[in-house]
Amino acid sequence: MTTPSALDIPRGVPFTRRLAARLVLVPAVLLSLLPPRRIRAVLEFVRRGARPATAGRAQAARDAVCAVSLRCAGPRGCLPRSLGAALLCRLTGTWPTWCTGVSVVPPFNAHAWIEAEGRPVGEPLPDSYFARLVAVGPVTPAGRPPR
């Protein structure tokens, strides 16, 4: 027996944003193959000089990545989706907080997502459903991540 499922593919994403999303998906997928410490090191380098992303900009980046990639739009595409959305934000000079973590209630689930303005972007679950294990946020001019 199969379980029917439908992917929520965003519509109305402008052509230029779709093109940019396709460009960042190659490095995002390659990054997703690396161990977590390497991913973190690369993202900490890439985020330098970026302003914190707004929730709207982060959602637009996530939508663009999901619009061009069925893998990223699917339930198991969280790592390349979150990496792609973060890299797409970076192309515009902003940076969301990129996070990985685990569910706080059984069954165990690992997940990756982006946050902006202190909240997960585009996630259908409550904000407290996942506990952060790794987070790479924007850096303020003083050199510290904002709270």
Side-chain angles (χ1 to χ4, degrees), residues 7-101:
L7 298 178
D8 184 24
I9 309 240
R11 304 281 182 224
V13 177
F15 175 76
T16 54
R17 191 168 295 137
R18 284 176 181 264
L19 183 60
R22 285 188 191 278
L23 291 174
V24 300
L25 275 177
V26 172
V29 169
L30 292 175
L31 266 175
S32 71
L33 301 173
L34 296 176
R37 74 182 192 296
R38 298 271 183 191
I39 294 173
R40 183 179 193 160
V42 169
L43 294 181
E44 285 175 346
F45 177 78
V46 170
R47 74 175 176 184
R48 294 188 306 175
R51 303 178 316 275
T54 63
R57 187 170 300 261
Q59 182 67 52
R62 186 183 190 280
D63 288 348
V65 169
C66 290
V68 299
S69 170
L70 287 176
R71 177 180 181 187
C72 291
R76 295 183 182 249
C78 64
L79 185 55
R81 176 177 57 236
S82 64
L83 291 168
L87 294 174
L88 189 55
C89 282
R90 185 60 186 103
L91 286 180
T92 63
T94 63
W95 186 259
T97 300
W98 177 82
C99 306
T100 60

Side-chain angles (χ1 to χ4, degrees), residues 102-115:
V102 295
S103 59
V104 295
V105 295
F108 170 82
N109 289 310
H111 190 53
W113 68 96
I114 59 170
E115 293 181 359

